[in-house]
């Protein structure tokens, strides 16, 4: 039986970039004998329009059953007035929570062809290859109590709670150590142990796990504010960074900008092992639905295609096919073919489908 893939294109540029990914997947079926049982469904605003909710129970059930979920992006101004709990982004939070996708992996790599797209000097980013592992289902984005209360005197009070348990910290740290072992063998754990109890616990629990199970991996600790600074000052000092949900959100966006374009960067979100021995997994570009360019055929589909390469590597045990896709993309960029977001002097600008054509030709 072919592995199952749930396709959730979502909103804005989501459907445009996912259409190009579909062509790549069809190519793999035709030329490499690698086929998938693919099902497509709705998430985000597209689901609100049809079902009244940003993700339906039926879609969640399909996500649970699939070997991997490929997501485009959600959100857009059309749904600005939807109730906060029912907004498009709530669909994304719900699927992460339901699949218990506790580890978000974001590689930040600089390809030689795009070294000038970074806002940092080429010598600082040439050859950059770091992986940020962000805790995704805990911390301040989910902690209770939370809410906005009316204090009755014209004042209101907003509350969120940063909370982590040892189990939550150690399961995400374990993923970081495992990935470090097949990369540069170094993990930097990031928190604010100097001012937050949850950070102090984070540091103690990572240290304890390291001593017992991962002493062969080099472990360092850094405060989140220093890490933000070091990512700009000398990003190549890092191999794997592991951090909580809030700091990871911010630091991974910062790291992504070291590479120059949001349209280039993939991500993977992994959950617990299922009875099949595989982890629950959702793959998506790190960018959003880009309403400012949606419908114009100019979005860069590379982040979506590279997200599928991650799926080939981490869910489908096809590292050679993943590398084949990555090499094709590198070849296209080396030929000077660019979408608008990464356009540079002397290069040839192509549309979203033009980039799909170029990657297929390189394959
Ligand atoms: P965004 O990532 O959608 O866009 C930021 C900028 O980058 C825009 O100028 C956009 O045109 C550009 N951009 C993004 N992806 C691109 C691509 N593939 N090719 C070319 N240019 C690209 O972030 P935003 O503008 O802050 O958010 C827009 C909407 O997306 C919001 O509703 C937000 O909530 C949502 N969002 C969703 C996700 C997700 O689905 N995972 C992530 C972030 C934001």
């Amino acid at each position: 039986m072919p592995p199952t893939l749930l396709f959730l294109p979502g909103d804005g540029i989501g459907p445009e970039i996912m259409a190009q990914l579909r062509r790549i997947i069809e190519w793999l079926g035709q030329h490499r004998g690698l086929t998938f049982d693919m099902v497509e469904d709705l998430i985000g605003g597209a689901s609100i329009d049809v079902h009244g909710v940003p993700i339906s129970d039926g879609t969640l059930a399909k996500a649970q059953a699939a070997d991997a979920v490929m997501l485009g992006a959600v959100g857009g101004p059309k749904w600005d007035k939807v109730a906060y709990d029912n907004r498009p982004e709530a669909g994304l939070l719900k699927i992460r929570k339901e699949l218990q996708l506790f580890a978000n992996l974001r590689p930040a790599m600089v390809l030689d062809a795009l070294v000038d797209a970074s806002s940092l000097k080429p010598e600082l980013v040439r050859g950059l290859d770091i992986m940020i592992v962000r805790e995704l289902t805990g911390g301040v984005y989910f902690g209770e109590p939370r809410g906005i209360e009316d204090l009755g005197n014209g004042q209101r009070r907003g509350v969120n709670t940063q909370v982590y348990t040892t189990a939550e910290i150690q399961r995400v740290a374990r993923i970081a150590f495992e990935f470090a072992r097949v990369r540069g063998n170094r993990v930097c754990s990031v928190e604010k142990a100097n001012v937050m109890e949850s950070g102090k616990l984070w540091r103690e629990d990572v240290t304890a796990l390291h001593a017992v199970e991962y002493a062969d991996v080099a472990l360092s600790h850094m405060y989140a504010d220093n890490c933000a600074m070091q990512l700009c000052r000398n990003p190549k000092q890092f191999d794997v960074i592991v951090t909580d949900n809030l700091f990871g959100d911010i630091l991974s966006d910062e790291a992504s900008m070291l590479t120059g374009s949001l349209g280039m960067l993939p991500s993977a979100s992994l959950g617990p092992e299922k009875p099949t021995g595989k982890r629950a997994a959702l793959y998506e570009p790190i960018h959003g639905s880009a309403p400012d360019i949606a419908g114009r055929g100019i979005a860069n589909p590379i982040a979506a295609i590279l997200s599928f390469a991650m799926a080939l590597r981490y869910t489908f045990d096809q590292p050679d096919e993943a590398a084949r896709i990555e090499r094709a993309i590198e070849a296209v960029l080396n030929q000077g073919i660019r979408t608008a977001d990464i356009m540079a002097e002397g290069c040839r600008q192509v549309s979203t489908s033009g980039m799909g054509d170029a990657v297929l030709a390189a394959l």
Side-chain angles (χ1 to χ4, degrees):
M1 282 231 304
T4 52
L5 204 52
L6 175 64
F7 243 59
L8 299 175
D11 308 320
I13 63 169
E16 301 171 36
I17 56 171
M18 297 296 270
Q20 299 312 311
L21 171 56
R22 218 175 229 286
R23 297 173 69 200
I24 308 292
I25 296 175
E26 280 160 10
W27 183 93
L28 284 176
Q30 285 159 9
H31 298 271
R32 305 292 308 158
L34 192 58
T35 53
F36 295 90
D37 185 356
M38 281 172 52
V39 180
E40 187 163 317
D41 212 331
L42 303 172
I43 191 168
S47 174
I48 295 174
D49 290 348
V50 174
H51 301 299
V53 287
I55 188 162
S56 70
D57 290 344
T59 308
L60 281 174
K62 287 179 201 167
Q64 297 276 15
D67 291 311
V69 179
M70 297 298 316
L71 187 125
V74 298
K78 181 178 174 195
W79 301 280
D80 275 354
K81 297 213 161 53
V82 169
Y84 188 72
D85 289 345
N86 207 39
R87 69 200 190 286
E89 292 78 1
L92 198 52
L93 294 181
K94 190 156 183 191
I95 195 171
R96 287 175 181 165
K97 195 78 189 169
E98 289 287 319
L99 298 186
Q100 300 178 55
L101 302 174
F102 62 83
N104 181 227
L105 277 56
R106 283 205 196 178
M109 288 171 62
V110 173
L111 300 175
D112 264 359
L114 292 185
V115 78
D116 292 319
S118 173
S119 47
L120 295 194
K121 294 184 201 121
E123 62 266 29
L124 284 180
V125 293
R126 192 181 306 278
L128 180 76
D129 178 8
I130 61 184
M131 171 82 87
I132 299 200
V133 180
R134 164 189 170 195
E135 202 290 326
L136 202 59
T137 51
V140 73
Y141 291 172
F142 294 98
E144 302 278 347
R146 62 185 299 155
I148 300 177
E149 61 180 304
D150 199 330
L151 298 177
N153 54 356
Q155 296 287 308
R156 295 190 299 163
R157 182 170 175 264
V159 178
N160 291 90
T161 303
Q162 167 81 336
V163 52
Y164 273 109
T165 63
T166 298
E168 287 175 309
I169 295 166
Q170 293 194 335
R171 69 180 179 175
V172 72
R174 190 167 272 120
I175 297 236
F177 287 126
E178 298 284 346
F179 272 93
R181 276 185 177 157
V182 295
R183 295 174 42 97
N185 213 35
R186 289 180 292 125
V187 169
C188 179
S189 171
V190 171
E191 24 59 11
K192 291 276 291 176
N194 50 343
V195 286
M196 295 168 73
E197 282 75 8
S198 57
K200 184 168 175 301
L201 181 75
W202 183 284
R203 187 175 288 217
E204 289 168 6
D205 286 344
V206 171
T207 303
L209 176 71
H210 174 255
V212 176
E213 293 181 38
Y214 297 101
D216 56 302
V217 180
L219 171 67
S220 59
H221 302 275
M222 195 178 272
Y223 298 139
D225 47 344
N226 185 26
C227 183
M229 190 266 280
Q230 295 296 338
L231 275 171
C232 290
R233 196 185 70 86
N234 177 19
K236 284 192 268 187
Q237 70 184 282
F238 297 108
D239 176 25
V240 176
I241 291 174
V242 62
T243 189
D244 75 13
N245 203 342
L246 172 64
F247 297 140
D249 193 358
I250 298 165
L251 294 173
S252 60
D253 262 23
E254 183 189 355
S256 70
M257 267 299 107
L258 302 174
T259 72
S261 172
L262 280 178
M264 292 292 301
L265 293 169
S267 77
S269 300
L270 304 178
E273 275 186 16
K274 300 200 272 193
T276 57
K278 296 278 178 199
R279 290 185 181 279
L282 180 147
Y283 299 89
E284 59 178 323
I286 71 157
H287 61 73
S289 57
D292 54 333
I293 60 165
R296 291 170 49 197
I298 60 171
N300 186 347
I302 292 180
I305 298 171
L306 287 175
S307 299
F308 183 67
M310 288 184 88
L312 287 173
R313 205 169 254 125
Y314 302 135
T315 296
F316 300 118
D317 296 325
Q318 296 285 346
D320 294 346
E321 300 306 327
R324 185 185 306 281
I325 291 174
E326 289 159 356
R327 278 199 310 272
I329 287 170
E330 207 162 348
V332 167
L333 296 172
N334 286 337
Q335 291 159 29
I337 297 173
R338 302 278 194 277
T339 42
D341 56 312
I342 50 173
M343 187 57 192
E345 226 180 287
C347 292
R348 180 161 72 85
Q349 190 170 324
V350 294
S351 63
T352 308
S353 61
M355 183 55 88
D357 295 342
V359 176
L360 285 172
L363 280 170

Short mmCIF file of all heavy atoms in Angstrom, two decimals, residues 173-213:
data_model
loop_
_atom_site.label_atom_id
_atom_site.label_comp_id
_atom_site.label_asym_id
_atom_site.label_seq_id
_atom_site.Cartn_x
_atom_site.Cartn_y
_atom_site.Cartn_z
N ALA A 173 13.89 18.04 23.78
CA ALA A 173 15.35 18.02 23.84
C ALA A 173 15.90 16.74 23.22
O ALA A 173 16.92 16.74 22.52
CB ALA A 173 15.82 18.14 25.30
N ARG A 174 15.18 15.64 23.41
CA ARG A 174 15.60 14.36 22.85
C ARG A 174 15.67 14.45 21.31
O ARG A 174 16.62 13.99 20.69
CB ARG A 174 14.60 13.28 23.30
CG ARG A 174 15.02 11.88 22.98
CD ARG A 174 14.15 10.86 23.72
NE ARG A 174 14.67 10.55 25.04
CZ ARG A 174 14.04 10.72 26.18
NH1 ARG A 174 12.82 11.22 26.17
NH2 ARG A 174 14.60 10.41 27.32
N ILE A 175 14.67 15.10 20.73
CA ILE A 175 14.67 15.26 19.26
C ILE A 175 15.88 16.08 18.84
O ILE A 175 16.57 15.76 17.86
CB ILE A 175 13.36 15.95 18.81
CG1 ILE A 175 12.19 15.05 19.16
CG2 ILE A 175 13.42 16.35 17.33
CD1 ILE A 175 11.26 14.64 18.07
N ALA A 176 16.18 17.14 19.58
CA ALA A 176 17.33 17.99 19.24
C ALA A 176 18.63 17.19 19.31
O ALA A 176 19.48 17.27 18.41
CB ALA A 176 17.40 19.20 20.18
N PHE A 177 18.79 16.39 20.36
CA PHE A 177 20.02 15.58 20.49
C PHE A 177 20.12 14.56 19.37
O PHE A 177 21.19 14.33 18.81
CB PHE A 177 20.05 14.88 21.85
CG PHE A 177 20.35 15.79 23.03
CD1 PHE A 177 19.50 15.84 24.14
CD2 PHE A 177 21.48 16.60 23.03
CE1 PHE A 177 19.78 16.67 25.21
CE2 PHE A 177 21.76 17.44 24.12
CZ PHE A 177 20.90 17.47 25.20
N GLU A 178 18.99 13.94 19.04
CA GLU A 178 19.00 12.93 17.96
C GLU A 178 19.43 13.57 16.64
O GLU A 178 20.22 13.00 15.89
CB GLU A 178 17.61 12.29 17.79
CG GLU A 178 17.08 11.54 19.00
CD GLU A 178 17.74 10.17 19.21
OE1 GLU A 178 18.40 9.70 18.27
OE2 GLU A 178 17.58 9.60 20.30
N PHE A 179 18.88 14.75 16.34
CA PHE A 179 19.24 15.41 15.09
C PHE A 179 20.69 15.87 15.10
O PHE A 179 21.40 15.80 14.09
CB PHE A 179 18.31 16.59 14.80
CG PHE A 179 17.10 16.16 14.03
CD1 PHE A 179 15.94 15.82 14.69
CD2 PHE A 179 17.13 16.06 12.65
CE1 PHE A 179 14.82 15.37 13.99
CE2 PHE A 179 16.02 15.62 11.94
CZ PHE A 179 14.87 15.29 12.61
N ALA A 180 21.15 16.33 16.26
CA ALA A 180 22.54 16.77 16.35
C ALA A 180 23.50 15.63 16.01
O ALA A 180 24.51 15.82 15.34
CB ALA A 180 22.83 17.32 17.76
N ARG A 181 23.14 14.43 16.44
CA ARG A 181 24.01 13.28 16.19
C ARG A 181 24.22 13.01 14.71
O ARG A 181 25.26 12.48 14.31
CB ARG A 181 23.41 12.02 16.84
CG ARG A 181 23.78 11.89 18.31
CD ARG A 181 23.26 10.59 18.85
NE ARG A 181 23.66 10.41 20.24
CZ ARG A 181 23.02 9.62 21.10
NH1 ARG A 181 21.95 8.94 20.71
NH2 ARG A 181 23.45 9.50 22.34
N VAL A 182 23.23 13.35 13.88
CA VAL A 182 23.42 13.13 12.44
C VAL A 182 23.79 14.43 11.72
O VAL A 182 23.79 14.50 10.50
CB VAL A 182 22.15 12.49 11.79
CG1 VAL A 182 21.93 11.10 12.34
CG2 VAL A 182 20.92 13.36 12.00
N ARG A 183 24.10 15.47 12.48
CA ARG A 183 24.57 16.73 11.90
C ARG A 183 25.95 17.04 12.49
O ARG A 183 26.85 16.25 12.36
CB ARG A 183 23.56 17.85 12.20
CG ARG A 183 22.20 17.66 11.55
CD ARG A 183 21.25 18.75 12.04
NE ARG A 183 21.91 20.05 12.08
CZ ARG A 183 21.82 20.97 11.12
NH1 ARG A 183 21.05 20.77 10.09
NH2 ARG A 183 22.49 22.11 11.22
N GLY A 184 26.04 18.21 13.16
CA GLY A 184 27.34 18.63 13.70
C GLY A 184 27.60 18.21 15.13
O GLY A 184 28.61 18.59 15.72
N ASN A 185 26.68 17.45 15.73
CA ASN A 185 26.83 16.91 17.09
C ASN A 185 26.90 17.98 18.18
O ASN A 185 27.51 17.77 19.23
CB ASN A 185 28.05 15.99 17.17
CG ASN A 185 27.82 14.86 18.15
OD1 ASN A 185 26.69 14.37 18.29
ND2 ASN A 185 28.85 14.46 18.86
N ARG A 186 26.26 19.14 17.94
CA ARG A 186 26.25 20.19 18.97
C ARG A 186 24.83 20.70 19.18
O ARG A 186 24.12 20.96 18.22
CB ARG A 186 27.14 21.37 18.54
CG ARG A 186 28.63 21.03 18.57
CD ARG A 186 29.47 22.22 18.14
NE ARG A 186 29.27 22.52 16.74
CZ ARG A 186 28.91 23.72 16.27
NH1 ARG A 186 28.71 24.73 17.09
NH2 ARG A 186 28.75 23.90 14.98
N VAL A 187 24.45 20.83 20.45
CA VAL A 187 23.14 21.40 20.79
C VAL A 187 23.35 22.61 21.68
O VAL A 187 24.10 22.55 22.65
CB VAL A 187 22.25 20.37 21.51
CG1 VAL A 187 21.00 21.04 22.09
CG2 VAL A 187 21.84 19.24 20.57
N CYS A 188 22.67 23.71 21.33
CA CYS A 188 22.64 24.87 22.22
C CYS A 188 21.20 25.00 22.72
O CYS A 188 20.26 25.16 21.93
CB CYS A 188 23.06 26.13 21.47
SG CYS A 188 23.01 27.59 22.52
N SER A 189 21.01 24.88 24.03
CA SER A 189 19.68 24.98 24.64
C SER A 189 19.46 26.42 25.09
O SER A 189 20.30 27.00 25.78
CB SER A 189 19.60 24.00 25.81
OG SER A 189 18.40 24.22 26.53
N VAL A 190 18.30 26.97 24.72
CA VAL A 190 18.08 28.41 24.91
C VAL A 190 16.85 28.67 25.78
O VAL A 190 15.78 28.10 25.53
CB VAL A 190 17.92 29.09 23.52
CG1 VAL A 190 17.47 30.54 23.67
CG2 VAL A 190 19.23 29.01 22.74
N GLU A 191 17.00 29.48 26.80
CA GLU A 191 15.89 29.88 27.69
C GLU A 191 16.26 31.18 28.39
O GLU A 191 17.21 31.84 27.97
CB GLU A 191 15.58 28.78 28.72
CG GLU A 191 16.70 27.80 29.08
CD GLU A 191 17.95 28.42 29.64
OE1 GLU A 191 17.98 29.63 29.99
OE2 GLU A 191 18.96 27.73 29.74
N LYS A 192 15.51 31.52 29.43
CA LYS A 192 15.87 32.67 30.26
C LYS A 192 15.91 32.20 31.70
O LYS A 192 15.10 32.62 32.55
CB LYS A 192 14.84 33.80 30.07
CG LYS A 192 14.88 34.47 28.72
CD LYS A 192 15.93 35.57 28.60
CE LYS A 192 15.57 36.76 29.45
NZ LYS A 192 16.67 37.78 29.40
N ALA A 193 16.86 31.30 31.97
CA ALA A 193 16.96 30.73 33.32
C ALA A 193 17.31 31.80 34.35
O ALA A 193 17.10 31.61 35.55
CB ALA A 193 18.02 29.62 33.33
N ASN A 194 17.81 32.94 33.87
CA ASN A 194 18.21 34.00 34.81
C ASN A 194 17.01 34.74 35.40
O ASN A 194 17.09 35.29 36.48
CB ASN A 194 19.16 35.00 34.12
CG ASN A 194 18.64 35.50 32.78
OD1 ASN A 194 17.73 34.91 32.19
ND2 ASN A 194 19.22 36.59 32.31
N VAL A 195 15.86 34.74 34.69
CA VAL A 195 14.72 35.50 35.20
C VAL A 195 13.40 34.70 35.24
O VAL A 195 12.40 35.21 35.71
CB VAL A 195 14.46 36.79 34.37
CG1 VAL A 195 15.51 37.85 34.67
CG2 VAL A 195 14.42 36.49 32.88
N MET A 196 13.41 33.46 34.73
CA MET A 196 12.15 32.70 34.69
C MET A 196 12.35 31.31 35.30
O MET A 196 13.26 30.58 34.91
CB MET A 196 11.66 32.55 33.24
CG MET A 196 11.29 33.87 32.60
SD MET A 196 11.04 33.72 30.79
CE MET A 196 9.48 32.86 30.74
N GLU A 197 11.47 30.94 36.22
CA GLU A 197 11.57 29.62 36.84
C GLU A 197 11.42 28.52 35.79
O GLU A 197 12.08 27.48 35.85
CB GLU A 197 10.50 29.44 37.93
CG GLU A 197 10.82 30.14 39.24
CD GLU A 197 10.63 31.66 39.17
OE1 GLU A 197 10.10 32.16 38.16
OE2 GLU A 197 11.02 32.33 40.14
N SER A 198 10.51 28.75 34.82
CA SER A 198 10.32 27.73 33.79
C SER A 198 11.61 27.55 32.99
O SER A 198 11.91 26.46 32.51
CB SER A 198 9.16 28.11 32.87
OG SER A 198 9.39 29.38 32.29
N GLY A 199 12.39 28.62 32.86
CA GLY A 199 13.67 28.55 32.17
C GLY A 199 14.71 27.81 32.99
O GLY A 199 15.55 27.06 32.46
N LYS A 200 14.65 28.01 34.30
CA LYS A 200 15.58 27.31 35.20
C LYS A 200 15.32 25.80 35.13
O LYS A 200 16.24 24.99 35.01
CB LYS A 200 15.37 27.84 36.63
CG LYS A 200 16.31 27.30 37.67
CD LYS A 200 16.17 28.13 38.95
CE LYS A 200 17.00 27.59 40.09
NZ LYS A 200 16.68 26.22 40.48
N LEU A 201 14.04 25.44 35.15
CA LEU A 201 13.67 24.02 35.03
C LEU A 201 14.12 23.48 33.68
O LEU A 201 14.66 22.36 33.58
CB LEU A 201 12.15 23.86 35.18
CG LEU A 201 11.67 22.41 35.10
CD1 LEU A 201 11.99 21.67 36.39
CD2 LEU A 201 10.17 22.33 34.80
N TRP A 202 13.90 24.26 32.63
CA TRP A 202 14.30 23.85 31.27
C TRP A 202 15.78 23.49 31.27
O TRP A 202 16.18 22.42 30.80
CB TRP A 202 14.01 24.99 30.29
CG TRP A 202 14.29 24.69 28.86
CD1 TRP A 202 15.53 24.64 28.27
CD2 TRP A 202 13.36 24.36 27.82
NE1 TRP A 202 15.42 24.32 26.94
CE2 TRP A 202 14.09 24.14 26.63
CE3 TRP A 202 11.96 24.25 27.78
CZ2 TRP A 202 13.48 23.81 25.42
CZ3 TRP A 202 11.36 23.93 26.58
CH2 TRP A 202 12.12 23.70 25.41
N ARG A 203 16.61 24.38 31.82
CA ARG A 203 18.06 24.15 31.80
C ARG A 203 18.43 22.89 32.60
O ARG A 203 19.22 22.07 32.15
CB ARG A 203 18.79 25.38 32.36
CG ARG A 203 20.30 25.28 32.22
CD ARG A 203 21.01 26.55 32.65
NE ARG A 203 20.84 27.65 31.70
CZ ARG A 203 21.78 28.55 31.40
NH1 ARG A 203 22.98 28.46 31.95
NH2 ARG A 203 21.54 29.53 30.56
N GLU A 204 17.80 22.74 33.78
CA GLU A 204 18.12 21.58 34.63
C GLU A 204 17.71 20.27 33.95
O GLU A 204 18.45 19.28 33.97
CB GLU A 204 17.42 21.72 35.99
CG GLU A 204 18.05 22.81 36.86
CD GLU A 204 17.21 23.17 38.08
OE1 GLU A 204 16.18 22.50 38.34
OE2 GLU A 204 17.59 24.14 38.76
N ASP A 205 16.53 20.27 33.32
CA ASP A 205 16.03 19.03 32.71
C ASP A 205 16.81 18.65 31.46
O ASP A 205 17.03 17.47 31.20
CB ASP A 205 14.53 19.16 32.39
CG ASP A 205 13.67 19.09 33.65
OD1 ASP A 205 14.19 18.65 34.69
OD2 ASP A 205 12.48 19.47 33.58
N VAL A 206 17.21 19.65 30.67
CA VAL A 206 18.02 19.36 29.48
C VAL A 206 19.38 18.82 29.92
O VAL A 206 19.89 17.83 29.37
CB VAL A 206 18.19 20.63 28.60
CG1 VAL A 206 19.20 20.39 27.49
CG2 VAL A 206 16.84 21.05 28.00
N THR A 207 19.95 19.44 30.96
CA THR A 207 21.25 19.01 31.46
C THR A 207 21.19 17.56 31.97
O THR A 207 22.09 16.74 31.69
CB THR A 207 21.71 19.94 32.60
OG1 THR A 207 21.73 21.28 32.09
CG2 THR A 207 23.09 19.59 33.12
N ALA A 208 20.11 17.24 32.69
CA ALA A 208 19.98 15.89 33.26
C ALA A 208 19.82 14.85 32.15
O ALA A 208 20.46 13.78 32.18
CB ALA A 208 18.76 15.85 34.19
N LEU A 209 19.01 15.15 31.14
CA LEU A 209 18.82 14.21 30.03
C LEU A 209 20.13 13.99 29.29
O LEU A 209 20.50 12.86 28.94
CB LEU A 209 17.76 14.76 29.06
CG LEU A 209 17.54 13.92 27.80
CD1 LEU A 209 16.82 12.62 28.14
CD2 LEU A 209 16.73 14.70 26.75
N HIS A 210 20.85 15.09 29.08
CA HIS A 210 22.12 15.03 28.37
C HIS A 210 23.10 14.10 29.08
O HIS A 210 23.73 13.23 28.47
CB HIS A 210 22.69 16.45 28.26
CG HIS A 210 24.05 16.52 27.69
ND1 HIS A 210 25.17 16.76 28.47
CD2 HIS A 210 24.51 16.35 26.43
CE1 HIS A 210 26.24 16.75 27.69
NE2 HIS A 210 25.87 16.52 26.45
N ALA A 211 23.18 14.25 30.40
CA ALA A 211 24.14 13.46 31.18
C ALA A 211 23.85 11.96 31.08
O ALA A 211 24.76 11.14 30.97
CB ALA A 211 24.11 13.90 32.65
N VAL A 212 22.57 11.62 31.05
CA VAL A 212 22.20 10.20 31.08
C VAL A 212 22.23 9.57 29.68
O VAL A 212 22.71 8.46 29.50
CB VAL A 212 20.80 10.03 31.71
CG1 VAL A 212 20.35 8.57 31.65
CG2 VAL A 212 20.81 10.52 33.14
N GLU A 213 21.71 10.29 28.67
CA GLU A 213 21.51 9.65 27.37
C GLU A 213 22.33 10.22 26.22
O GLU A 213 22.49 9.56 25.20
CB GLU A 213 20.02 9.73 26.97
CG GLU A 213 19.11 8.91 27.85
CD GLU A 213 17.67 9.00 27.40
OE1 GLU A 213 17.41 9.03 26.19
OE2 GLU A 213 16.80 9.10 28.29
#
